């Protein structure tokens, strides 16, 4: 237990505290008192400036001068304020004048354009555009309007690099004038002809992009709201969601059953989501079939986020990627079936562009590009090389190009495609080649699959 000294010590401290506190209290009272006296002297009933007059004279500025100064300041301030509001008013007037001039210019241009397009198409431009292949006479007015040129409002030329706009059409359009004219024949503002197959043929022949039209596509009757995600990813859409006119099949069930029908159809078993589609890219066999998770595992988790599947059939690759929170745009043609509508019904993004078309993405943007069964030896070599360079262009540094089941002859593999891929500049991360199992007439048919990377510089 503690000694008596220990016990005593705190009490002594308390005593000292008490005397110290009393002293503090006295000082405080003194301070309050003096303050009260001061307050009384200055604010009391007898206080006025005269009491201090002797004192104020010693200040560098008399209070009298302060008042004038304050007045001066006040008036300067008010003058400033009024000037400010005048400037604001002027500014407003200028803006409205500017707008007026701008709208006048736009109106002028419109009038000018109307006279040129209705009377004659700007001849020299048309000649260069059409390279004399086109006789201007056969162009309908609607076609002329669709492909321009259209004058831009003044002031827009520096940004656009030209004072007129020519909406793009594929150079191939010029070689199929009759078909193009037929495509551009419709009631302006009315319903478009149901001509998707015809239009797509034109695209595939090189008239891509097609000119725009001023008509409404036929709407499917009894359209119902689509299935919600994620169920939509694996749901067969209702037959009422599309127009069946152009296809031999008139229902999705017919398209599903087609896998058992002899004969060639593009992506024959792709519409059956419960069939082969269900297991695609889920397993990696160490050979030609790569698994999505094995491919994604090559990169840090989450860094493959956006990409493109070239010729992606019914969109199953995009669906599997969507389940991994990756957004894939699926390019597809509607060959033998409504592929674009089907992809969209699954809640995925279809784009209707052929493999000939420059990819509509900016360079160094995509994390991944995938393509299965589409890029193959049917594509003329020179064209394929441009396509590969385009894929390289849109991929970001470190981006992946998954070339899935490229079909060719054994001799072409090492002679043509390996050197071409090397020329393009891709880095090989994985490479598998194998004889095609269901070989046809030619016994030397091969596939190769490759995981390529756009190198970082
Ligand atoms: C200056 O303006 C303030 C308020 O804006 C006013 O209180 C003050 O009396 C004015 N002074 C003079 C000298 O006019
Ligand atoms: C996808 O994102 C959602 C929401 O952020 C998250 O709950 C889910 O776990 C993610 N799925 C995968 C496979 O990463
Ligand atoms: C291609 O070349 C590689 C190595 O140079 C060789 O192993 C392979 O057998 C060749 N492939 C074919 C199909 O000729």
């Amino acid at each position: 237990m503690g000694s008596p000294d220990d016990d005593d010590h705190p009490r002594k401290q308390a005593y000292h505290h008490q005397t110290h506190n009393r002293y503090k209290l006295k000082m405080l009272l003194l301070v309050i008192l003096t303050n009260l006296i001061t307050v009384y002297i200055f604010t009391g009933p007898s206080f006025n400036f005269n009491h201090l007059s002797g004192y104020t004279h010693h200040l560098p500025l008399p209070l009298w001068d302060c008042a004038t100064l304050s007045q001066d300041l006040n008036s300067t301030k008010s003058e400033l304020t009024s000037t400010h509001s005048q400037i604001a008013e002027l500014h407003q007037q200028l803006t409205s004048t500017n707008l007026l001039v701008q709208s006048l210019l736009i109106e002028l241009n419109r009038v000018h354009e109307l006279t040129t397009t209705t009377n004659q198409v700007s001849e020299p431009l048309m000649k260069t555009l059409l390279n004399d292949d086109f006789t201007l006479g056969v162009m309908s007015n609607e076609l002329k309007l669709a492909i321009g040129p259209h004058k831009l409002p003044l002031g827009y030329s520096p940004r656009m690099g030209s004072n007129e706009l020519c909406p793009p059409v594929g150079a191939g359009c010029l070689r199929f004038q009759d078909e193009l004219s037929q495509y551009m024949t419709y009631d302006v503002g009315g319903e478009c002809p149901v001509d998707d197959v015809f239009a797509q043929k034109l695209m595939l022949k090189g008239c891509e992009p097609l000119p725009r039209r001023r008509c409404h596509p036929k709407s499917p009757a009894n359209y119902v709201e689509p299935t919600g995600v994620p169920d939509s990813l694996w749901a067969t859409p209702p037959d009422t969601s599309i127009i069946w006119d152009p296809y031999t099949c008139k229902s999705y069930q017919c398209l599903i059953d087609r896998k058992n029908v002899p004969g060639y159809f593009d992506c024959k078993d792709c519409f059956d989501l419960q069939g082969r589609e269900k297991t695609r890219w889920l397993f990696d066999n160490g050979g030609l079939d790569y698994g999505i998770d094995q491919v994604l595992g090559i990169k840090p988790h989450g860094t493959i986020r956006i990409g493109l599947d070239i010729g992606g059939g019914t969109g199953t690759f995009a669906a599997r990627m969507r389940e991994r929170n990756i957004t894939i745009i699926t390019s597809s043609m509607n060959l033998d079936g409504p592929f674009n509508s089907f992809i969209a019904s699954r809640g995925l993004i279809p784009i209707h562009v052929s493999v000939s078309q420059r990819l509509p993405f900016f360079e160094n943007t995509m994390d991944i590009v995938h393509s299965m069964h589409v890029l193959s030896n049917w594509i003329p070599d020179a064209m394929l090389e441009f396509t590969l360079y385009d894929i390289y262009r849109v991929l970001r540094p470190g981006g992946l190009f998954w070339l899935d089941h490229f079909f060719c002859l054994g001799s072409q593999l090492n002679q043509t495609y390996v050197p071409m891929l090397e020329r393009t500049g891709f880095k090989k991360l994985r490479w598998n080649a194998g004889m095609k199992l269901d070989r046809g007439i030619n016994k030397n048919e091969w596939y190769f699959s490759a995981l390529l990377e756009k190198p970082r510089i």
Side-chain angles (χ1 to χ4, degrees), residues 273-304:
L273 296 184
Q274 303 312 314
R276 212 173 134 189
E277 291 295 290
K278 199 85 193 179
T279 54
R280 279 195 207 275
W281 304 292
L282 290 187
F283 308 103
D284 196 310
N285 68 1
L288 291 166
D289 297 340
Y290 299 180
I292 282 180
D293 291 325
Q294 284 71 21
V295 168
L296 294 178
I298 283 172
K299 293 284 173 180
H301 182 75
T303 58
I304 300 294

Side-chain angles (χ1 to χ4, degrees), residues 2 20 29 54 57 76 135 137 160 192 208 217 239 251 315 320 355 366 417 445 454-455:
H20 185 69
L29 274 171
H57 275 297
T76 312
T135 29
M160 308 294 265
C192 306
E208 186 188 18
D239 289 340
S251 72
R320 285 298 182 203
V355 290
M366 295 288 133
Y417 299 116
E445 292 175 350
K454 172 166 174 170

Side-chain angles (χ1 to χ4, degrees), residues 63 86 176 233 292 296 361 369 398:
L63 273 183
Q86 269 174 3
F176 307 102
L233 292 180
I292 282 180
L296 294 178
F361 306 109
V369 173

Side-chain angles (χ1 to χ4, degrees), residues 95-288:
T95 312
S96 65
T97 314
N98 236 351
L99 281 175
L100 214 78
V101 171
Q102 247 175 37
S103 63
L104 254 168
L105 276 174
I106 290 171
E107 205 48 48
L108 260 170
N109 271 313
R110 202 168 287 152
V111 171
H112 176 72
E113 195 188 326
L114 220 73
T115 43
T116 45
T117 43
T118 44
N119 295 345
Q120 38 138 173
V121 175
S122 142
E123 289 251 0
L125 192 119
M126 265 303 157
K127 276 218 178 100
T128 29
L129 179 74
L130 308 176
N131 203 14
D132 292 329
D133 281 349
F134 236 122
T135 29
L136 293 177
V138 303
M139 278 172 70
S140 68
N141 274 336
E142 190 63 3
L143 179 55
K144 285 178 201 164
L145 271 178
I147 68 178
H150 298 279
K151 279 258 183 298
L152 282 167
L154 235 74
Y156 282 81
S157 342
R159 215 182 320 156
M160 308 294 265
S162 162
N163 61 355
E164 41 190 28
L165 268 191
C166 294
V169 283
C173 295
L174 312 180
R175 300 175 53 211
F176 307 102
Q177 295 173 41
D178 292 345
E179 277 139 297
L180 189 62
S181 295
Q182 187 187 329
Y183 179 71
M184 290 307 286
T185 305
Y186 52 83
D187 291 339
V188 174
E191 194 175 273
C192 306
V194 178
D195 57 1
D196 354 343
V197 172
F198 170 74
Q200 185 171 267
K201 270 189 189 145
L202 253 177
M203 283 171 71
L204 290 171
K205 285 196 281 192
C207 185
E208 186 188 18
L210 284 165
R212 283 173 165 163
R213 299 201 288 195
R214 292 192 292 170
C215 55
H216 305 117
K218 195 174 164 188
S219 260
N222 310 314
Y223 184 87
V224 290
E225 292 290 311
T227 310
V229 278
D231 292 347
S232 63
L233 292 180
W234 296 99
T236 301
D239 289 340
T240 52
S241 61
I242 64 159
I243 307 279
W244 290 93
D245 289 8
Y247 306 108
T248 40
C249 265
K250 304 285 180 223
S251 72
Y252 278 117
Q253 193 54 51
C254 165
L255 289 171
I256 291 168
D257 294 339
R258 203 162 60 178
K259 62 178 191 277
N260 306 315
V261 177
Y264 178 82
F265 300 104
D266 198 62
C267 217
K268 200 170 164 177
D269 50 8
C270 295
F271 284 98
D272 181 9
L273 296 184
Q274 303 312 314
R276 212 173 134 189
E277 291 295 290
K278 199 85 193 179
T279 54
R280 279 195 207 275
W281 304 292
L282 290 187
F283 308 103
D284 196 310
N285 68 1
L288 291 166

Side-chain angles (χ1 to χ4, degrees), residues 410 413-414 446:
L413 188 66
N414 283 343
W446 284 69

